[in-house]
Amino acid sequence: MTEVIDPITLSVLAGRMEQIADEMDATLFRAAFNPIIAEAHDASHGIYHPTTGDTLVQGKSGLPIFVGVMSFAVKAAIDKAAEYGDPADGDIYIFNDAHLGGTHLNDMRLVRPYFHDGKPFCFLGSVGHWHDLGGGVPGNYNPAATDAFQEAFVLPPVRLARAGVIQTDIVDILMRNTRLPQSAEGDLNGQLGALDLGVKRLDELLAEYGADTVRAALDALQDRAETLMRSELSDLPDGRWEATDFLDNDGITDTPLPINVALEIKGDQMILDFTGTAERCAGPVNIALPTAVATAYVAIKHIFPTLPANAGLMRPIDVVVPETSLLSAPFPAPVGGYTETILRMIDVIFAAASQAAPKRCVANAYGTINALSIAGKRENGQPWVMFSFYGGGHGGSSESDGLNHGNAPISTATIPPMEILEAAYPVVFRQWALRPNSAGVGTHRGGMGAIYEIELLEKSATAFLFGERGRFPPKGSAGGGEAAMNVFSYEQDDGWHQPPMASKMVGIQLRRGQSLRLETPGGGGYGPASERDPAAVARDVAMSLISPEAATETYGPAWTEVST
């Protein structure tokens, strides 16, 4: 019989378990070698159900997208353990197969069963974005890939450790399949350290409260999340609302790809139906089904931000994904650009939900991480790979303007600081600034995009860009305006050029002194521009966020009468 747990104990245990996951996050962030984990925090840790793999607890510092996909990853490890026989205490499974565990091949997953009284009590998971895992493009964001093998080395679930003993042959294979083995080994050891810490903290927790009480708390937290989600849905009107947006292209064929959703609410249930989305494509903007389901979770968590982050939240929500669409691509379809596709999924979910509950949703954010890789060799022959992602504006809301130069709404990651990138790689940032006139207008304008200009200091290098929003701007909400589109330029001997496919390009050859420039989108505006406070317009003009000419054209001349 399940133990009944009192509210105070439940609250204390919820905090304690979240702290375990948070501390695992912090352990990896401190230990990781590559800045995508150490500085940008592109990683996550959590506690998962011993048989279903469902997310029970996730750290608050990791990426929200991993809440959903890691449950698929843990289930893949559970299934692999069943093939081997029952898991042993100290086993650790490792893999990066995105079609089983979601996201893309850079995200290396480690899954470890936690034992109590000789039986698996739960699983601990660690996932982090490794800097490079082979493939055709350094950094692995290959916009020209037509299968997974052109993106990175593919590792299925295998045992990295058997009963506590690391299998060095697995480590040797991994290190042989990366351009940056020192970075990869440091990240691997950081993840192992985080898992060790998780085991230690769970030992302490169960010793203090007992396994039955902790298990009851985990069950109760999921039930509570479900109850709260049903209550929130019941407060919204019944109905069906649709939204469509587009990806620029798939990097292979220059044809727009629609992402469509129909959001339906019936009492305390919701359906998200992606019928009408583009069919599977040749290029790497496909995503695997686990990623699509996890993205729906992330969007829902944004719309209902106060609800707990566990699997119970999604029990009242049915996610319908057509088997032949680019949102359900089987192996070995390329999925390296998953970030761009899930950002568009979030945009259309927000757009549909805003028709049912306008005040709950923000306008579109900038909608692309602009994955930019620059790679080459130093004068001593040592290879270097600078991979990073870049910020833009967030959408305006019913309460405020959008955030200027924020990170994508799929994550709580931070944009790696300019100083870190310049210290680690032979580049210099000639510009890192807000982009004027990039925000969508509205009662509450969108946030500003950014301008980054990066000059190469080494003799030569090759650059690769995987972006979006070069042809379809971020949309406004409740009458707000569209934001500026993404613009990428690169310098050659005969001047500046832009990619034929607007937002994607491979093999850009650079010489010392030549630069790349990203002008990222802003966020969409919220509400009619005619209702914006003239003082707010005057303030934006004074801060050079909008030009006087654009302010007058968009908002009228009233702002000129305001003293700033």
Side-chain angles (χ1 to χ4, degrees):
M1 186 173 66
T2 303
E3 178 179 334
V4 177
I5 188 166
D6 68 89
I8 294 176
T9 302
L10 180 61
S11 180
V12 170
L13 285 174
R16 285 284 296 272
M17 288 184 284
E18 287 179 3
Q19 179 60 32
I20 290 172
D22 287 344
E23 197 173 353
M24 292 172 72
D25 282 344
T27 297
L28 177 57
F29 299 156
R30 288 195 299 266
F33 277 37
N34 95 73
I36 301 302
I37 297 177
E39 297 292 336
H41 295 178
D42 192 345
S44 184
H45 296 84
I47 302 172
Y48 304 88
H49 194 278
T51 57
T52 66
D54 285 349
T55 301
L56 303 176
V57 177
Q58 192 202 21
K60 296 185 291 295
S61 300
L63 301 198
I65 188 66
F66 290 139
V67 174
V69 295
M70 277 303 289
S71 63
F72 289 91
V74 173
K75 186 60 168 65
I78 291 171
D79 292 343
K80 178 57 68 173
E83 292 180 20
Y84 289 139
D86 292 335
D89 193 359
D91 282 358
I92 299 175
Y93 294 85
I94 186 170
F95 68 104
N96 72 336
D97 189 333
H99 294 84
L100 294 176
T103 64
H104 60 169
L105 294 169
N106 287 89
D107 293 332
M108 190 62 72
R109 300 154 180 85
L110 275 67
V111 178
R112 177 174 177 170
Y114 172 76
F115 278 73
H116 180 76
D117 288 341
K119 297 179 180 180
F121 179 85
C122 64
F123 279 78
L124 293 169
S126 173
V127 56
H129 180 122
W130 286 20
H131 211 157
D132 181 88
L133 281 161
V137 167
N140 307 125
Y141 265 84
N142 182 0
T146 55
D147 62 39
F149 308 110
Q150 296 170 11
E151 295 181 316
F153 167 71
V154 183
L155 183 70
V158 295
R159 276 187 292 193
L160 174 65
R162 300 187 180 193
V165 179
I166 296 292
Q167 306 302 293
T168 56
D169 52 348
I170 301 297
V171 178
D172 291 343
I173 292 170
L174 286 168
M175 296 308 116
R176 195 66 167 177
N177 280 278
T178 173
R179 297 172 177 88
L180 302 168
Q182 184 179 21
S183 173
E185 188 169 12
D187 295 342
L188 174 60
N189 287 332
Q191 289 183 264
L192 291 171
L195 291 174
D196 285 342
L197 179 75
V199 170
K200 180 180 178 182
R201 294 291 184 257
L202 279 173
D203 284 344
E204 296 167 352
L205 185 67
L206 268 63
E208 184 175 349
Y209 284 91
D212 290 342
T213 299
V214 174
R215 187 179 291 109
L218 290 169
D219 291 341
L221 289 170
Q222 291 187 86
D223 292 343
R224 175 173 290 190
E226 178 184 0
T227 299
L228 291 170
M229 184 77 256
R230 291 189 184 279
S231 176
E232 293 277 9
L233 292 175
S234 296
D235 289 340
L236 297 178
D238 285 0
R240 178 183 172 90
W241 302 270
E242 291 197 46
T244 302
D245 208 332
F246 295 86
L247 297 170
D248 293 341
N249 50 59
D250 70 351
I252 305 298
T253 303
D254 200 4
T255 301
L257 299 168
I259 306 293
N260 186 78
V261 70
L263 184 154
E264 186 171 2
I265 297 175
K266 296 179 179 179
D268 66 353
Q269 295 182 301
M270 176 189 286
I271 300 172
L272 292 170
D273 186 349
F274 289 92
T275 299
T277 292
E279 296 291 287
R280 194 167 305 130
C281 58
V285 294
N286 298 291
I287 61 175
L289 180 61
T291 308
V293 175
T295 302
Y297 166 86
V298 173
I300 293 300
K301 192 67 177 67
H302 276 289
I303 297 169
F304 304 98
T306 62
L307 300 191
N310 64 52
L313 191 73
M314 292 299 288
R315 290 175 184 169
I317 300 171
D318 187 18
V319 181
V320 179
V321 179
E323 291 184 1
T324 59
S325 79
L326 60 79
L327 306 181
S328 184
F331 184 81
V335 296
Y338 88 99
T339 51
E340 309 307 294
T341 304
I342 67 175
L343 284 169
R344 206 61 66 252
M345 284 182 68
I346 291 173
D347 285 342
V348 296
I349 293 172
F350 280 8
S354 68
Q355 299 172 56
K359 291 186 178 181
R360 284 186 176 269
C361 301
V362 299
N364 286 176
Y366 64 106
T368 175
I369 72 165
N370 274 320
L372 178 63
S373 296
I374 311 173
K377 290 187 177 180
R378 300 181 187 271
E379 291 185 4
N380 62 6
Q382 181 181 1
W384 62 276
V385 179
M386 177 181 138
F387 168 81
S388 190
F389 42 82
Y390 297 87
H394 281 227
S397 72
S398 62
E399 298 181 357
S400 67
D401 294 344
L403 176 69
N404 296 328
H405 188 226
N407 206 345
I410 57 172
S411 77
T412 52
T414 59
I415 301 159
M418 171 179 61
E419 295 83 359
I420 295 294
L421 297 174
E422 289 183 337
Y425 309 110
V427 300
V428 62
F429 281 81
R430 293 303 182 195
Q431 193 170 5
W432 181 303
L434 294 181
R435 179 187 178 188
N437 299 321
S438 59
V441 300
T443 308
H444 295 127
R445 62 161 173 78
M448 297 291 163
I451 301 174
Y452 307 89
E453 188 168 322
I454 309 166
E455 180 183 330
L456 177 66
L457 300 180
E458 192 56 82
K459 182 178 180 181
S460 64
T462 305
F464 310 84
L465 176 72
F466 202 136
E468 268 293 332
R469 286 298 190 199
R471 295 203 171 124
F472 298 92
K475 296 179 180 180
S477 182
E482 296 177 341
M485 289 188 287
N486 201 20
V487 179
F488 174 71
S489 308
Y490 59 96
E491 192 175 12
Q492 301 285 269
D493 291 345
D494 60 347
W496 287 88
H497 298 259
Q498 294 179 355
M501 288 197 179
S503 55
K504 302 173 184 68
M505 192 167 180
V506 299
I508 302 168
Q509 302 301 317
L510 299 173
R511 294 189 300 103
R512 181 180 284 119
Q514 292 180 337
S515 298
L516 305 166
R517 184 165 61 235
L518 278 167
E519 298 173 63
T520 70
Y526 187 98
S530 59
E531 297 180 12
R532 185 163 178 79
D533 183 353
V537 179
R539 183 176 64 249
D540 288 345
V541 172
M543 297 175 66
S544 299
L545 300 179
I546 185 172
S547 66
E549 296 78 13
T552 301
E553 179 181 353
T554 303
Y555 295 106
W559 71 270
T560 60
E561 302 172 9
V562 178
S563 175
T564 59

